[in-house]
Amino acid sequence: MHLLHQRGPLHDLPDTPQAYDAVLADITEQALARLTSEGNLEHPDCGDDIGDTSLGVTSLLALAWQRSKDPRLPEAVRRSLAFHLRERVYREDNPGYPNLRARGTGLPYARYVLEAGAHPIGDWPSTVWALLQAVNVLDTADGLVDDAQRAELLAVAHGYWRWLTEATFFNPQEAGNQAIGCIVGGLMLARHLPPEQGEPVRSRALTLYADEIRAHRVRDRGALLPPEHGGAYDNNYGPISLSFLAQAHRVSGAEMFAEDGDALARYIDARLTNGGFDNGGPRYSEQHSAFESVLGLRYFGRRVGSDLGRYRGDSRWSRHAVKADGGIDGHFAFMLVWQIQDSTRWHRTPSASTARHHLRAGTVSVAFDDRMTPAVVEAAGTYYLAAAVNRQHGFGPVLDGFLMCRPMGEVRVRDVRADGLTAKLVTKPVVGRDHVLRHVRSLYVTDGTSLWLTVAVERLAGTPYLLAGLPYATDDGDRVRRTAQAQVTSAGALRLTHPRSEGVDHFDARTETTQQQAAFALAADPRGYGNPDEGWRHLVSSTALEADPAPGAPEELHVFAVRYGPQGPFTPAFELDEDGLTVRTEAFTAVIGEVAGDASGEPELTLRA
């Protein structure tokens, strides 16, 4: 089975002016055929996320007219705009809405569901989206609508801003993408208001960003990130936040948006595999965005000099939101408008810089988590997640069911490049069940095709093994499909084991359950509201690669050696002397220095082909 949402790399989508004109031409024909006598442009099957959708299509028609001057469009824009202003602007408080700071204000807002009292919790983001659709219409409406209709739309947009920032609590869902979107709406609105009204809106937007978003960023993998639904990063909404940061910088020029976007972009680059696969998040684990992410990945990929366009998006939403029949839905249409208006081109070469939380060369990559344990390993087109044993997750030595990968002290890292090889040495102090402090040294070396992992630890009593990953997915053309197979060779005996127990907290890679489905099943709240990252942490056991110690290791050490990638002879040799542990394989010789490291305590590593 294929993973549902992780499809082709986003940079594969044509983004020339001609390609975008073809997209707008298709939208025009769909919209003109759909336009009702009342002026409604909503998809007939739209039930939720509806408050901004007709206006979103209107904004696309206004942009299409600006570029093509199609004589059919002015009337369609005027009629559909009148529909939104007449039928989709609400001023009476939605029954049951929990986040109001002031009742009965009469300020306009948009509804997530049209029926009164039906899922009102979504009204805050829906109003953000409606504000963004409105300012896009204002940006492109010159010559399309008369002064009275334009003035009414501007008054409604200003009212949306006031409802979002005065009548309600700001960012009630703790969702970074929604909050930054609101800031963008204020910045764009301010340009259309008279100076005495516009400057307070702009100032308020910048202050809200600094005080309510920037000051509350969450640290993960060395980066400060806008919090997303209670977590540091979500692989669906995180790139969307990056798009909002790009637009905020484009319209305001404020350097803080560029700085924060650069930090988020470098973080995404570090966690993303070469093949564009990623998983994890506090709202979704594998539900990737598509056109909503293009602006940010393209804009900041160019700024930081990395190919962020390798990110695998959901190609069903490659240009705009659609319903099951493929018909356009105007939800989030502002993102298509902005990416058409932005002239940035994709940066298509990988970053050459060294980063603490990734190792990358050729078709091999390792993305490390905050504890410098691999989160995803990629080799030969296969992706390995951290495996689980006895409720413990990661890669590392296991003794009597205890996994040694959680650091008890500072984690040291040394990066080396030599003779076409790229290597990273990670040294962790860990404590076992016996309360003895040991140093686990993990050496990752790649030639761009294979990945060699060597793990050394002070000799353990009993029969330890290396937990070496959960084979989860593999590239299959433009798609990613599930797998339970691995191209891994080990110096010691190698086993691919599967859970002996059944149930949602035991993940068997041979089944058709996805990581996201399992994570939501273990989350505290329903799908879409529960935290899948938190749910996945409740996993008791999983399919796992288990590698026995390598023969011929020094008596003082247990050494484990595995190679991910093409199969073939693998007989590494090891020698311990005053210089440290020497590792010899068919491709390289490495010397891992003593635990004490250099004069500053940093680990020593030498490498040659």
Side-chain angles (χ1 to χ4, degrees):
M1 60 170 286
H2 288 107
L3 296 181
L4 186 61
H5 299 282
Q6 303 218 19
R7 300 185 180 224
L10 289 179
H11 64 199
D12 286 351
L13 295 169
D15 62 349
T16 62
Q18 295 77 18
Y20 282 132
D21 284 338
V23 172
L24 290 173
D26 175 61
I27 291 169
T28 294
E29 298 308 320
Q30 286 193 54
L32 293 177
R34 178 186 299 173
L35 185 66
T36 68
S37 57
E38 294 82 11
N40 189 352
L41 285 170
E42 293 161 1
H43 191 285
D45 294 338
C46 193
D48 56 20
D49 258 332
I50 192 172
D52 69 306
T53 62
S54 183
L55 187 59
V57 179
T58 301
S59 73
L60 291 169
L61 295 182
L63 180 62
W65 180 81
Q66 190 182 67
R67 292 168 68 92
S68 70
K69 295 299 186 285
D70 186 328
R72 300 173 297 172
L73 291 178
E75 178 62 20
V77 169
R78 288 190 286 268
R79 285 173 55 195
S80 59
L81 179 55
F83 168 81
H84 178 83
L85 294 172
R86 184 179 67 249
E87 304 289 344
R88 294 296 180 260
V89 177
Y90 294 84
R91 296 181 181 273
E92 294 182 357
D93 296 346
N94 200 350
Y97 185 71
N99 297 314
L100 288 176
R101 299 174 60 189
R103 297 193 178 277
T105 62
L107 290 171
Y109 67 93
R111 285 186 176 174
Y112 178 77
V113 175
L114 299 182
E115 180 185 354
H119 203 83
I121 194 71
D123 290 355
W124 201 87
S126 288
T127 303
V128 174
W129 314 150
L131 169 60
L132 293 170
Q133 315 284 26
V135 292
N136 275 345
V137 173
L138 289 169
D139 277 353
T140 54
D142 288 346
L144 273 176
V145 301
D146 59 33
D147 291 345
Q149 197 177 39
R150 190 182 189 284
E152 184 180 1
L153 177 61
L154 180 59
V156 166
H158 195 186
Y160 284 155
W161 169 256
R162 292 189 58 201
W163 187 86
L164 290 164
T165 59
E166 298 174 22
T168 71
F169 291 96
F170 182 78
N171 190 22
Q173 295 185 26
E174 297 183 4
N177 75 98
Q178 298 173 11
I180 305 171
C182 182
I183 300 307
V184 172
L187 294 171
M188 296 182 70
L189 171 67
R191 302 185 302 181
H192 293 282
L193 293 169
E196 65 275 12
Q197 292 180 317
E199 186 51 39
V201 170
R202 175 184 165 85
S203 176
R204 174 73 168 146
L206 295 174
T207 299
L208 278 171
Y209 181 78
D211 294 349
E212 300 297 331
I213 303 173
R214 202 175 202 218
H216 297 279
R217 287 175 296 169
V218 178
R219 184 176 295 277
D220 185 49
R221 307 186 194 190
L224 285 172
L225 310 172
E228 188 55 63
H229 286 282
Y233 177 82
D234 184 282
N235 69 14
N236 180 48
Y237 292 111
I240 294 175
S241 286
L242 192 65
S243 287
F244 282 129
L245 286 169
Q247 183 66 4
H249 186 240
R250 289 182 69 233
V251 300
S252 74
E255 191 60 26
M256 63 180 174
F257 297 120
E259 293 172 356
D260 294 354
D262 288 349
L264 178 53
R266 292 191 179 99
Y267 171 88
I268 292 173
D269 188 36
R271 68 175 290 144
L272 198 60
T273 59
N274 284 332
F277 171 86
D278 185 25
N279 77 296
R283 183 70 184 270
Y284 291 109
S285 289
E286 294 177 344
Q287 187 162 335
H288 278 41
S289 48
F291 80 98
E292 313 100 308
S293 303
V294 167
L295 174 65
L297 294 170
R298 196 173 66 189
Y299 189 84
F300 283 105
R302 173 65 59 179
R303 280 183 56 91
V304 303
S306 185
D307 179 20
L308 299 184
R310 68 186 188 276
Y311 180 95
R312 287 185 180 267
D314 193 332
S315 56
R316 295 168 299 178
W317 280 37
S318 59
R319 298 301 194 180
H320 48 71
V322 299
K323 290 300 184 185
D325 64 358
I328 184 174
D329 177 356
H331 180 55
F332 251 64
F334 46 83
M335 283 294 190
L336 177 58
V337 172
W338 298 340
Q339 66 169 278
I340 292 175
Q341 293 172 335
D342 178 51
S343 60
T344 305
R345 302 275 66 84
W346 287 111
H347 181 92
R348 293 182 176 271
T349 56
S351 171
S353 62
T354 299
R356 178 180 175 90
H357 291 91
H358 79 235
L359 174 74
R360 184 178 304 138
T363 58
V364 172
S365 61
V366 184
F368 295 88
D369 65 16
D370 217 29
R371 297 172 170 180
M372 288 306 297
T373 297
V376 184
V377 169
E378 172 194 21
T382 297
Y383 304 99
Y384 303 83
L385 307 181
V389 57
N390 290 345
R391 301 183 187 276
Q392 305 158 95
H393 299 203
F395 289 71
V398 177
L399 179 63
D400 297 331
F402 187 84
L403 172 61
M404 300 181 187
C405 73
R406 293 170 298 282
M408 183 64 68
E410 191 66 22
V411 179
R412 308 277 193 159
V413 178
R414 173 63 60 91
D415 288 281
V416 172
R417 292 180 180 176
D419 300 337
L421 301 169
T422 304
K424 187 183 294 286
L425 174 62
V426 178
T427 300
K428 291 183 185 181
V430 301
V431 174
R433 289 197 196 279
D434 56 6
H435 292 209
V436 174
L437 183 70
R438 297 179 175 87
H439 288 82
V440 175
R441 289 173 286 172
S442 302
L443 173 64
Y444 306 83
V445 180
T446 180
D447 61 358
T449 301
S450 298
L451 172 71
W452 290 265
L453 169 59
T454 305
V455 179
V457 64
E458 292 88 343
R459 182 162 288 271
L460 303 164
T463 55
Y465 66 87
L466 180 73
L467 193 67
L470 155 64
Y472 178 67
T474 189
D475 290 333
D476 185 15
D478 290 337
R479 300 292 300 275
V480 179
R481 62 175 171 83
R482 282 292 313 284
T483 189
Q485 299 178 348
Q487 296 185 56
V488 178
T489 309
S490 173
L494 183 69
R495 299 173 295 278
L496 181 61
T497 65
H498 303 284
R500 297 179 181 178
S501 302
E502 296 183 355
V504 294
D505 52 356
H506 300 278
F507 187 83
D508 192 328
R510 296 171 298 183
T511 70
E512 293 192 351
T513 303
T514 66
Q515 187 272 346
Q516 178 170 287
Q517 290 170 330
F520 274 126
L522 292 166
D525 297 305
R527 181 186 182 278
Y529 303 95
N531 183 334
D533 272 1
E534 185 178 274
W536 187 252
R537 284 193 287 269
H538 293 302
L539 197 69
V540 174
S541 67
S542 73
T543 293
L545 287 162
E546 299 177 357
D548 285 345
E555 290 185 3
E556 301 93 327
L557 300 174
H558 266 123
V559 179
F560 307 89
V562 297
R563 183 184 63 204
Y564 302 82
Q567 305 297 286
F570 182 49
T571 55
F574 313 96
E575 180 182 342
L576 185 64
D577 58 25
E578 64 275 7
D579 293 327
L581 176 65
T582 299
V583 180
R584 291 185 175 88
T585 73
E586 73 283 4
F588 65 87
T589 297
V591 180
I592 303 171
E594 288 299 307
V595 168
D598 62 17
S600 61
E602 293 302 314
E604 295 180 313
L605 174 64
T606 59
L607 178 70
R608 66 177 184 273

